[in-house]
Amino acid sequence: MADGNPFKAHMEALTVQERQFQYYNLSATDASKYEKLPYSIRVLLESAIRNCDNFQIQSKDVDNILNWETNQHNSVEIPFKPARVILQDFTGVPAVVDFAAMRDAVKRLGGDPQKINPICPVDLVIDHSVQADVVRSATALQKNQDLEFDRNKERFQFLKWGAKAFKNMLIVPPGSGIVHQVNLEHLGRVVFDEDGLLYPDSLVGTDSHTTMINGLGILGWGVGGIEAEAVMLGQAISMVLPPVVGYKITGSLEPLVTSTDVVLTITKHLRQVGVVGKFVEFFGSGVAQLSIADRATISNMCPEYGATVGFFPVDERSLEYLRGTGRDEAKIEYIEAYLRQNKMFRDYNNPENDPVFTEVVELDLSTVVPCCSGPKRPHDKVPVSEMKQDFVKCLNNKVGFKGFAIPADKQTTTVPIVFDGQEYTLTHGSVVIAAITSCTNTSNPSVMLGAGLLAKKAVEAGLSVSPYVKTSLSPGSGVVTYYLQESGVTPYLEKLGFDIVGYGCMTCIGNSGPLPDPVAEAIEKANLVACGVLSGNRNFEGRIHPLTRANYLASPPLVVAYALAGTACIDFETEPLGHNAEGNPVYLRDIWPSRDEIQAVERQFVIPSMFKDVYAKIEKGNARWTSLDAPESMLYPWDEKSTYIKSPPFFEQMTKELPSIEGVKDAHVLLNVGDSITTDHISPAGSIARNSPAARYLGSRGLTPREFNSYGSRRGNDAVMARGTFANIRLLNKFIGKASPKTVHIPSGDQMDIFDAADRYQNEKRQVIILAGKEYGSGSSRDWAAKGPWMQGVRAVIAESYERIHRSNLVGMGIMPLQYQAGETADSLGLTGKEMYSIHIPDDLHTRHLVEVKLEDGRSFQVIARFDTDVELTYFRHGGILNYMIRQML
């Protein structure tokens, strides 16, 4: 609390179990307005009041939030200071690299490098590095963890240096779990106690699925790594005061429906409603029936339905969850007392507690049916009863989100393979990857135990999974292993090939490892549409594995079911999973566990002592982590031989003085793309192809393909990441006309890898831009999806619309996000992408300024400069957010 806080008169005392606390009484502002606010907006208001210093956060900001009902549609800019930041290692490593480089820059420019230090608490969980190289083996876990350390030793040493060199930074070692599940089960505070001052827990994270924590009533969302670094340095996030969609849940679930089915239904529904740039807040009597794990599953997939957050205010079940996960009772007591006192505690069965919402949409839980989503997008829901016919339609449909354009005479193609001495047959729809993975579902005991009980019944019925199917189980925390073992279902999962292969994101983020050679060869030879089925949250094309063109999101029990079936092209109602020893058919309905069965096992075996035992030792790590040596200097001693950690060039040309803004002159189009280009297309996280520019670079440094590792693991090396930008083999560039990581160098007409074209343009001193369609940059929050284009010389992107986080990241790197005016597109303006573009930036540039784009043939059109706040304009003028922060430290 700053001494100059104009709201310090609102601070009051609160006594809990004879302990004295203080808090800011939010009702003291204007009780009638406050009590109408959505609960999520109340968190924004509290942060503004507590941090108000009339500098970063002003009294008018508090008034703007308090008057949300009036201001919600007026694009009012507000600041928000989250209580903490959470990172995972793929995005955390580049953040720490940037901090190390910023220290170097501050020293070079004459400042004190020790000023570059996290001001708020920062938790970094190493969970993105482990891959499913070894599966279906009792030694899979140990072998994969050994490979993880062999590949990532330099990265881990660097992170260990960061934990020592920077204050307020906690590192959770590899092998501990998935960041969002660890956050939910252990790191989430719900309410902070800072020297006796109570305030709500809130956070931003460098992963779009940070939103999972909203299921526990903690407001949080994903931001770009660049923006998170500014928060770590004490800056407020600048955001537009959002509309809040009230999502009313009523009714009860049918017996065979899981929480995964609910979230896939909600994802499709809210995509149709349109909630981009909005908060979603859940209410209604149906919410009271959902466990915190169910709510967290729904909040987790918030990026897939497009909202900034999917918020569940704290209620009695939240407190029960805190007790059930072993949280300290004294903390739970002040959490409840504070939230009740500040009218932030919810009773979902009492409509009188309902606030005002921008609009209300509803879901009756009784209408939800078992479903999957796919084959290429998480919001393309398919009822399980329609999966077979939907897959056949996809084979016939033209290439697109729901189509593969397989000729009719090729749709019945079969390919025999020999695996472990036995012959099997692959065809379109064959399931070759079946992964129980991702915090979306592994944080939920009901679906995990459901998968285990299904496996038990399947084994007892004599069913098995074909050995060529790459089955895997990667829990989000050690607690999952604990209760699966204690409940007795682990041996049955292992019998079907679902051995534990690691504690991390794994298949969900593309760390699925290689397919068996006979399987890979058959798929490529016959151009098969092979399938992956996973309990994850994303299935974008090329993400799960390059050879699984169809990927379906499903609940863990359905993952087991499709593994047993061996195909996605099955009607479970009429076709059996297999036959028992007597030759009788076994249908899915015969072995599907009831909700009562699952809940009985959950009540008996998911207990607080498990959480206490697992999390008591989570920060220690395994023997290899504890024995890892790391430098102890304040400035990082960069190793020029390292291919993992490299000092980035972002600040090499930086000066103390603010540079003048320059427009774009006679730029060529580096690539011309359509709708839904994801951050996976822009900056893939998966394996490095042997014929790619990144592979050539690593080869020149003496590495063999076996040592390449993944793009995600090499985000601390800008030379690799610049070459990996737009290296996704599923990228569809209109210049090429087919999926390929290539483009055309316009002046020469030469076709080449996109990095090589960008490099040629830079050597020729030519500027480049990108043309794109709708939802450019959708998917995971990935700062390298902005840093990579910056390194390739991209000055601007002109798109029909942007994903929120990616647009922010472009601004953070000094790249202009420009947007066509309503009703205009590249096609409607007759743009081929082969023109030369000049963009004039006026001196009086303001938010959402209309700027002119001129073509060399004399044509011109206007676009919207998507700088949505004055703070974003300030960052852009400095050449990016980190440049701004460095100048602030001098």
Side-chain angles (χ1 to χ4, degrees):
M1 180 192 71
D3 289 338
N5 190 326
F7 295 96
K8 59 185 176 183
H10 295 344
M11 187 179 286
E12 297 184 5
L14 177 66
T15 303
V16 183
Q17 296 295 326
E18 300 183 354
R19 186 178 172 193
Q20 295 297 313
F21 296 96
Q22 289 183 306
Y23 74 103
Y24 282 92
N25 181 357
L26 304 185
S27 295
T29 51
D30 185 323
S32 62
K33 290 181 179 178
Y34 174 68
E35 290 174 18
K36 289 182 180 180
L37 291 178
Y39 286 68
S40 51
I41 300 299
R42 298 180 195 190
V43 179
L44 300 181
L45 178 66
E46 192 282 338
S47 177
I49 289 174
R50 175 169 40 87
N51 292 296
C52 186
D53 57 3
N54 278 328
F55 176 59
Q56 279 200 61
I57 299 174
Q58 301 183 13
S59 297
K60 68 175 184 179
D61 297 317
V62 172
D63 290 338
N64 283 336
I65 300 171
L66 185 62
N67 290 289
W68 169 84
E69 191 173 357
T70 303
N71 290 330
Q72 60 176 304
H73 298 298
N74 297 335
S75 297
V76 174
E77 177 187 350
I78 63 164
F80 174 52
K81 268 195 171 183
R84 59 188 174 100
V85 173
I86 196 161
L87 312 169
Q88 38 91 336
D89 59 304
F90 268 19
T91 51
V93 165
V96 181
V97 165
D98 287 348
F99 262 58
M102 289 170 74
R103 278 191 171 178
D104 292 342
V106 168
K107 183 181 180 182
R108 177 176 62 82
L109 295 171
D112 179 3
Q114 289 198 71
K115 287 185 177 180
I116 302 294
N117 227 1
I119 292 171
C120 67
V122 177
D123 301 311
L124 191 157
V125 181
I126 301 174
D127 66 353
H128 273 51
S129 302
V130 65
Q131 299 185 37
D133 292 287
V134 182
V135 298
R136 302 184 78 134
S137 164
T139 60
L141 174 62
Q142 187 60 52
K143 288 181 178 178
N144 288 328
Q145 288 183 337
D146 287 343
L147 286 167
E148 177 187 20
F149 263 87
D150 292 343
R151 290 167 176 152
N152 296 284
K153 182 180 178 181
E154 289 179 46
R155 296 171 66 245
F156 293 169
Q157 283 178 319
F158 176 69
L159 289 175
K160 210 167 184 183
W161 166 81
K164 296 177 183 177
F166 296 111
K167 299 174 184 176
N168 274 336
M169 183 176 287
L170 168 71
I171 303 288
V172 176
S176 303
I178 301 175
V179 57
H180 308 306
Q181 188 162 341
V182 174
N183 194 20
L184 184 74
E185 295 177 353
H186 178 63
L187 297 174
R189 281 79 156 174
V190 184
V191 170
F192 264 85
D193 169 16
E194 185 178 309
D195 299 323
L197 177 65
L198 300 180
Y199 56 90
D201 187 5
S202 61
L203 69 153
V204 291
T206 55
D207 188 286
S208 52
H209 293 101
T210 299
T211 54
M212 183 172 180
I213 200 64
N214 288 275
L216 188 53
I218 299 172
L219 190 70
W221 60 87
V223 297
I226 303 157
E227 197 173 9
E229 290 165 34
V231 175
M232 291 161 65
L233 290 166
Q235 296 296 296
I237 287 176
S238 180
M239 60 185 290
V240 174
L241 187 64
V244 181
V245 176
Y247 198 94
K248 187 174 185 178
I249 298 179
T250 60
S252 301
L253 292 174
E254 294 297 318
L256 301 183
V257 174
T258 68
S259 58
T260 314
D261 304 319
V262 176
V263 71
L264 296 180
T265 300
I266 289 174
T267 299
K268 181 175 183 179
H269 184 198
L270 285 176
R271 270 287 174 183
Q272 293 169 335
V273 170
V275 292
V276 173
K278 301 176 183 178
F279 283 9
V280 172
E281 188 168 308
F282 294 89
F283 73 109
S285 58
V287 176
Q289 299 183 44
L290 299 175
S291 69
I292 298 304
D294 292 340
R295 299 176 196 179
T297 298
I298 294 167
S299 294
N300 177 283
M301 286 193 69
C302 181
E304 283 65 53
Y305 46 82
T308 304
V309 299
F311 188 68
F312 290 85
V314 173
D315 70 340
E316 290 287 355
R317 293 203 78 160
S318 311
L319 302 180
E320 291 171 11
Y321 179 82
L322 294 176
R323 292 187 175 95
T325 50
R327 261 61 165 229
D328 183 69
E329 185 62 33
K331 291 182 179 179
I332 297 171
E333 287 172 353
Y334 72 65
I335 288 169
E336 180 177 7
Y338 168 79
L339 294 175
R340 287 189 183 278
Q341 190 75 13
N342 238 347
K343 295 183 170 60
M344 302 173 90
F345 196 85
R346 195 75 158 93
D347 179 356
Y348 289 102
N349 289 312
N350 184 0
E352 292 182 5
N353 278 346
D354 295 349
V356 172
F357 292 113
T358 307
E359 62 177 308
V360 172
V361 293
E362 297 189 30
L363 174 68
D364 181 347
L365 292 176
S366 66
T367 65
V368 178
V369 298
C371 57
C372 301
S373 278
K376 302 181 186 182
R377 295 190 301 186
H379 54 278
D380 289 332
K381 186 189 78 166
V382 186
V384 171
S385 60
E386 299 173 16
M387 272 285 286
K388 182 174 184 176
Q389 63 192 75
D390 187 80
F391 183 80
V392 172
K393 284 181 182 177
C394 288
L395 292 181
N396 284 297
N397 292 344
K398 66 179 182 180
V399 173
F401 298 124
K402 294 288 288 185
F404 299 102
I406 303 298
D409 63 333
K410 300 289 187 181
Q411 292 181 17
T412 56
T413 297
T414 60
V415 183
I417 65 166
V418 175
F419 188 85
D420 286 348
Q422 297 289 319
E423 186 169 304
Y424 302 91
T425 301
L426 296 184
T427 186
H428 296 295
S430 288
V431 171
V432 296
I433 290 176
I436 300 175
T437 181
S438 173
C439 53
T440 310
N441 284 290
T442 68
S443 61
N444 195 327
S446 66
V447 291
M448 295 301 290
L449 289 168
L453 292 172
L454 180 70
K456 180 176 185 292
K457 293 186 177 189
V459 170
E460 289 171 347
L463 302 182
S464 62
V465 176
S466 296
Y468 64 82
V469 179
K470 189 161 192 178
T471 44
S472 62
L473 169 57
S474 49
S477 82
V479 175
V480 179
T481 306
Y482 212 142
Y483 66 66
L484 290 178
Q485 289 175 341
E486 291 298 308
S487 62
V489 298
T490 297
Y492 300 99
L493 286 163
E494 291 173 346
K495 186 81 171 177
L496 297 183
F498 290 96
D499 296 84
I500 291 176
V501 297
Y503 295 94
C505 302
M506 303 191 84
T507 300
C508 187
I509 59 163
N511 286 357
S512 51
L515 291 175
D517 287 341
V519 174
E521 290 165 8
I523 293 170
E524 291 181 305
K525 175 182 176 182
N527 192 31
L528 294 179
V529 180
C531 294
V533 182
L534 66 152
S535 61
N537 47 41
R538 293 220 165 124
N539 56 345
F540 298 127
E541 194 170 15
R543 178 183 175 96
I544 306 307
H545 192 282
L547 295 179
T548 56
R549 289 158 67 187
N551 295 283
Y552 291 95
L553 306 182
S555 66
L558 279 176
V559 171
V560 175
Y562 280 106
L564 290 164
T567 179
C569 195
I570 182 174
D571 180 348
F572 286 129
E573 284 299 310
T574 61
E575 299 175 65
L577 291 170
H579 294 79
N580 61 21
E582 291 75 35
N584 297 319
V586 178
Y587 292 89
L588 181 57
R589 58 180 174 269
D590 299 330
I591 59 172
W592 192 270
S594 70
R595 181 172 293 115
D596 288 344
E597 284 180 83
I598 296 170
Q599 290 177 345
V601 174
E602 184 175 351
R603 281 192 297 271
Q604 183 178 356
F605 293 105
V606 183
I607 53 178
S609 59
M610 291 180 176
F611 293 87
K612 289 180 179 178
D613 183 48
V614 168
Y615 285 111
K617 52 198 174 190
I618 194 168
E619 296 171 26
K620 296 178 183 176
N622 57 29
R624 292 195 64 173
W625 175 263
T626 55
S627 64
L628 199 62
D629 290 326
E632 305 217 357
S633 53
M634 180 189 66
L635 299 177
Y636 186 69
W638 305 100
D639 180 359
E640 292 186 2
K641 296 179 182 178
S642 174
T643 56
Y644 278 101
I645 305 298
K646 179 176 175 292
S647 181
F650 306 138
F651 316 118
E652 287 178 356
Q653 305 301 318
M654 184 182 168
T655 60
K656 286 185 180 181
E657 298 75 27
L658 189 65
S660 58
I661 295 180
E662 296 181 358
V664 174
K665 179 71 173 173
D666 295 331
H668 287 285
V669 174
L670 180 61
L671 67 161
N672 184 4
V673 294
D675 296 343
S676 296
I677 294 299
T678 70
T679 52
D680 281 307
H681 287 118
I682 303 168
S683 183
S687 58
I688 297 172
R690 296 187 179 193
N691 60 348
S692 66
R696 292 195 291 274
Y697 167 79
L698 292 171
S700 74
R701 302 296 299 268
L703 273 67
T704 64
R706 184 175 57 84
E707 300 169 305
F708 287 171
N709 209 335
S710 65
Y711 284 113
S713 68
R714 292 194 179 272
R715 286 182 182 160
N717 186 315
D718 59 90
V720 174
M721 297 310 296
R723 287 163 173 80
T725 302
F726 300 115
N728 191 314
I729 63 171
R730 299 298 180 192
L731 178 69
L732 187 59
N733 180 2
K734 293 178 183 178
F735 290 157
I736 304 300
K738 63 179 182 179
S740 171
K742 295 186 179 294
T743 194
V744 173
H745 177 258
I746 302 299
S748 66
D750 293 342
Q751 187 178 129
M752 59 183 68
D753 287 315
I754 292 169
F755 171 81
D756 294 336
D759 190 49
R760 186 189 286 193
Y761 280 126
Q762 288 183 307
N763 290 333
E764 296 169 346
K765 310 254 185 270
R766 300 177 191 267
Q767 296 179 336
V768 293
I769 66 169
I770 291 169
L771 299 184
K774 298 182 184 71
E775 297 179 341
Y776 182 75
S778 56
S780 301
S781 59
R782 198 162 288 176
D783 59 338
W784 267 108
K787 290 176 177 175
W790 181 88
M791 292 198 64
Q792 291 188 355
V794 174
R795 295 291 308 281
V797 179
I798 306 177
E800 292 177 49
S801 65
Y802 293 88
E803 193 276 338
R804 175 185 61 84
I805 299 174
H806 185 63
R807 185 198 60 77
S808 174
N809 274 348
L810 291 175
V811 174
M813 285 306 298
I815 296 174
M816 290 183 284
L818 306 176
Q819 186 167 313
Y820 296 108
Q821 295 189 77
E824 293 186 346
T825 65
D827 290 340
S828 74
L829 294 168
L831 306 178
T832 65
K834 296 185 178 179
E835 308 88 352
M836 293 170 66
Y837 293 71
S838 295
I839 304 167
H840 174 65
I841 303 300
D843 292 336
D844 65 344
L845 181 67
H846 56 75
T847 57
R848 291 181 169 257
H849 202 128
L850 281 179
V851 299
E852 186 175 40
V853 181
K854 290 185 177 180
L855 309 182
E856 91 279 9
D857 61 11
R859 289 182 292 157
S860 67
F861 58 96
Q862 288 189 315
V863 293
I864 305 164
R866 283 295 310 278
F867 303 109
D868 289 358
T869 67
D870 289 333
V871 172
E872 287 185 346
L873 275 173
T874 300
Y875 294 156
F876 177 69
R877 291 182 187 279
H878 279 265
I881 191 171
L882 300 184
N883 306 57
Y884 168 78
M885 289 305 308
I886 288 172
R887 290 192 179 99
Q888 293 295 104
M889 297 291 175
L890 296 175

